[in-house]
Amino acid sequence: INNLVYFHKNKFMKISFILLFTFFIGLSLKAQNIPVGSIDMIEQRSRNEQLLGNGNPLISHTLRPLALDLIDTTKTNKINSKKLTLKALPITLIQQYNTFAPYGWNDGAMIPAKGYQTLLSAGLFAQYGILSVQLKPEYVFAGNPDFETFPLNETSSVREINAYYLNHSDLPSSFGDQSYSKINWGQSKISVDYKGISAGISTENLWWGPGQRNSLIMSNNATGFLHFTLNTRKPIQTFIGSFEGQIVAGKLESSGISSPKSQFIIDGNDHEITKNNDWRYINGLSINYQPKWVPGLFIGLNRVIQVYRNDMGNNFSDYLPIIIPFQKKNLNNEDPKNRDQLASLFFRWVMKESKFEFYGESGWNDNSQDLWDLFQAPEHSRAYLLGFNKIFMLNKTKNKYLKVSFETTNLEQSADRLVRPAGAWYQHGIILQGYTNKGKVLGAGIGPGSNLQTLDFSVWEKDKVWGIQVERYAHNMDFFYDAYSDYKLKWMDFRLNTYIYKRYGNLGIQAKINTAVLGNYQYQFKNNKLNMQFNISLQYQL
């Protein structure tokens, strides 16, 4: 009874607080962000508009989340510093069902799970002068039934390699043996915004780089992590061109879940390594430049460094290691600091005259010793993605068009591994969780050592989008080459994905049917399986 009284008392206080806010409602929502992967596809539509010659040509679309007013001119009213602005954020409900095995990525707080799963999100946005508060928590539930995992009847040598990969990442083969339920802060933030610059604390998902299906360094594949951010909210124009950038300092957490113990018991011996479950400090930088002499071209750099909190020093460079040199020869006693880093260079080139764009990102999983080392073996520890978009108009009024997209992502090690292995992307010998947060990769959702090619056709109208994707997905090729010598055992998936989005007034509905033929599932010859993923998402603006 006391608990019930306490609950209702707190609920009354929260309602009173909201009512007090509503007394001061204003008009402007200038500091609101669009969540990465918003189901209304407004981010993609804005990128399309650039190819059509509309919108702001200086927006790189390589640094997200985007500010709402940056791509929606109806939200550019001047701030009334004497009034408090308050608005309910859209209510979002995402539901999906996998018939055979966990499938899908770029779904944030959702987990890799078979069966039914749902994510519910809602919240409030408030602004007073330059201060803004966005509260948008997320609730996730997954039935999480058992599914077929890596077989225990494999040879001992193969199982030991599988255990090695499990020991050097926080990517559980299954998220426990019970249903999953979790509430997190979701797409929430508190920030101060002044003249195009924003500083604050956030748990929003970030996306760095030009990729659409994957990003090498930062994406919405994992749950958003708590971080301090200093970033531009719009392109900063100078006499040599415009710049966008972001610096983050945050906290990465372990999933707290281990793969089944049976995966580690081999010939009666336990091969599991106990991980340091201390939280990890991450410091990252993304910056891009649009030269004024080459319209439509964006070039940029991403860099992230992580370290266990109990391994951190107390110097300025320990809290801001992104300022240290890239080359190991210019660093003193770097190895004892137990830090891991990822870095990438990227470009995006928009050619609005031909309604075409080309983009790419090349990343490295390790430091080069010096410039000669980089020149001699640029493919060492590298990964890359390349892609393009092309628009074809379908009617004379130019309000309906076909978009053709292609993207290839390669995380598999190059042939340089034969003389100097670099380890699978997102996996390191120091940080045993790898580059993850709460059990999922922060970068490309296809995971370490994997490759993906995506061909996408979509038709766009004012309030409607429909499309079809064809994909080839090669699972962890680094593990395959370590464990097997028979080329017939590669685990390759053929995926056929269809999707549609339609808006009805304040309600947006997105539906997907993804069909995957899993060839040699879990690297077992002719163990071919079929997985169907059904997804329906609703977004309602109050």
Side-chain angles (χ1 to χ4, degrees), residues 108-344:
M110 301 180 86
I111 65 169
K114 175 185 174 181
Y116 176 76
Q117 183 169 190
T118 186
L119 183 150
L120 176 64
S121 178
L124 295 171
F125 176 86
Q127 184 171 355
Y128 187 84
I130 62 173
L131 176 66
S132 65
V133 178
Q134 179 173 295
L135 297 177
K136 202 172 193 301
E138 298 170 337
Y139 169 73
V140 175
F141 171 82
N144 199 29
D146 291 337
F147 60 93
E148 185 179 324
T149 57
F150 194 76
L152 302 181
N153 60 357
E154 265 287 7
T155 64
S156 296
S157 60
V158 170
R159 292 192 59 209
E160 287 175 6
I161 295 171
N162 181 60
Y164 174 86
Y165 276 81
L166 293 177
N167 279 322
H168 288 78
S169 65
D170 185 20
L171 299 172
S173 58
S174 60
F175 265 65
D177 55 4
Q178 298 179 348
S179 63
Y180 177 93
S181 180
K182 187 81 68 175
I183 297 177
N184 62 74
W185 284 105
Q187 310 308 306
S188 299
K189 67 162 187 170
I190 301 174
S191 64
V192 173
D193 309 291
Y194 182 71
K195 290 187 176 180
I197 302 294
S198 178
I201 297 174
S202 172
T203 57
E204 292 177 297
N205 281 113
L206 309 174
W207 188 290
W208 291 354
Q212 299 178 104
R213 194 74 171 105
N214 285 304
S215 172
L216 297 185
I217 304 295
M218 199 74 72
S219 74
N220 65 328
N221 182 63
T223 304
F225 59 91
L226 178 65
H227 60 274
F228 168 80
T229 176
L230 176 64
N231 59 273
T232 57
R233 298 195 71 257
K234 62 180 181 180
I236 304 300
Q237 297 186 56
T238 71
F239 68 96
I240 61 171
S242 63
F243 293 84
E244 295 173 319
Q246 183 172 37
I247 296 174
V248 298
K251 177 182 181 181
L252 301 181
E253 299 179 77
S254 301
S255 67
I257 300 171
S258 177
S259 296
K261 196 65 178 178
S262 58
Q263 296 283 356
F264 298 98
I265 303 299
I266 304 169
D267 296 334
N269 298 314
D270 188 354
H271 289 256
E272 184 172 13
I273 297 175
T274 301
K275 295 183 175 74
N276 180 352
N277 282 318
D278 185 30
W279 65 273
R280 288 158 284 141
Y281 176 76
I282 182 172
N283 183 213
L285 165 70
S286 180
I287 186 168
N288 67 76
Y289 166 54
Q290 200 286 301
K292 66 179 295 185
W293 304 278
V294 190
L297 176 64
F298 303 89
I299 54 177
L301 162 73
N302 295 321
R303 189 186 193 188
V304 293
I305 297 176
Q306 63 167 329
V307 61
Y308 287 117
R309 179 63 184 91
N310 52 21
D311 284 339
M312 278 186 67
N314 294 312
N315 296 324
F316 178 76
S317 63
D318 294 317
Y319 286 93
L320 205 65
I322 54 170
I323 66 172
I324 66 175
F326 280 91
Q327 301 172 37
K328 288 184 178 179
K329 75 168 189 176
N330 295 326
L331 299 174
N332 294 321
N333 300 316
E334 177 61 20
D335 289 340
K337 294 183 179 180
N338 294 331
R339 298 191 289 213
D340 282 333
Q341 82 158 323
L342 291 169
S344 72

Side-chain angles (χ1 to χ4, degrees), residues 100 148-151 488-493 517-530:
F100 174 73
E148 185 179 324
T149 57
F150 194 76
K488 295 179 181 178
L489 298 179
K490 293 179 180 179
W491 179 3
M492 299 280 181
D493 296 350
V517 178
L518 288 57
N520 295 338
Y521 179 70
Q522 297 291 352
Y523 309 94
Q524 303 304 296
F525 185 54
K526 291 188 177 180
N527 184 28
N528 302 327
K529 304 294 183 180
L530 177 68

Side-chain angles (χ1 to χ4, degrees), residues 246-481:
Q246 183 172 37
I247 296 174
V248 298
K251 177 182 181 181
L252 301 181
E253 299 179 77
S254 301
S255 67
I257 300 171
S258 177
S259 296
K261 196 65 178 178
S262 58
Q263 296 283 356
F264 298 98
I265 303 299
I266 304 169
D267 296 334
N269 298 314
D270 188 354
H271 289 256
E272 184 172 13
I273 297 175
T274 301
K275 295 183 175 74
N276 180 352
N277 282 318
D278 185 30
W279 65 273
R280 288 158 284 141
Y281 176 76
I282 182 172
N283 183 213
L285 165 70
S286 180
I287 186 168
N288 67 76
Y289 166 54
Q290 200 286 301
K292 66 179 295 185
W293 304 278
V294 190
L297 176 64
F298 303 89
I299 54 177
L301 162 73
N302 295 321
R303 189 186 193 188
V304 293
I305 297 176
Q306 63 167 329
V307 61
Y308 287 117
R309 179 63 184 91
N310 52 21
D311 284 339
M312 278 186 67
N314 294 312
N315 296 324
F316 178 76
S317 63
D318 294 317
Y319 286 93
L320 205 65
I322 54 170
I323 66 172
I324 66 175
F326 280 91
Q327 301 172 37
K328 288 184 178 179
K329 75 168 189 176
N330 295 326
L331 299 174
N332 294 321
N333 300 316
E334 177 61 20
D335 289 340
K337 294 183 179 180
N338 294 331
R339 298 191 289 213
D340 282 333
Q341 82 158 323
L342 291 169
S344 72
L345 298 173
F346 63 85
F347 74 91
R348 176 174 177 249
W349 201 342
V350 178
M351 307 168 197
K352 63 182 182 180
E353 292 80 9
S354 55
K355 301 179 178 61
F356 177 83
E357 70 164 297
F358 177 54
Y359 61 86
E361 182 177 14
S362 181
W364 292 268
N365 200 35
D366 192 16
N367 296 62
S368 296
Q369 292 291 338
D370 50 35
L371 283 176
W372 177 250
D373 182 24
L374 179 62
F375 176 76
Q376 189 178 45
E379 73 279 8
H380 174 67
S381 79
R382 68 98 177 92
Y384 67 85
L385 68 82
L386 293 169
F388 71 81
N389 294 305
K390 168 65 177 174
I391 288 179
F392 301 89
M393 305 310 302
L394 296 180
N395 60 10
K396 294 182 179 180
T397 56
K398 296 185 178 183
N399 60 4
K400 182 178 181 180
Y401 54 86
L402 167 69
K403 183 172 81 168
V404 179
S405 304
F406 175 78
E407 182 173 295
T408 181
T409 304
N410 189 300
L411 303 184
E412 172 189 343
Q413 290 189 69
S414 70
D416 188 66
R417 65 177 292 165
L418 298 175
V419 294
R420 186 165 56 150
W425 251 73
Y426 307 128
Q427 294 186 334
H428 294 277
I430 298 173
I431 307 295
L432 293 185
Q433 284 78 7
Y435 186 59
T436 64
N437 184 49
K438 296 185 177 180
K440 297 174 71 177
V441 168
L442 283 166
I446 56 177
S450 299
N451 304 324
L452 181 76
Q453 293 80 41
T454 303
L455 180 61
D456 186 293
F457 301 89
S458 56
V459 176
W460 296 71
E461 301 178 60
K462 181 180 179 181
D463 292 318
K464 181 180 179 181
V465 182
W466 64 270
I468 184 169
Q469 284 181 343
V470 180
E471 295 188 310
R472 174 189 175 270
Y473 179 15
H475 290 257
N476 201 336
M477 296 298 291
D478 290 334
F479 167 77
F480 169 77
Y481 288 121

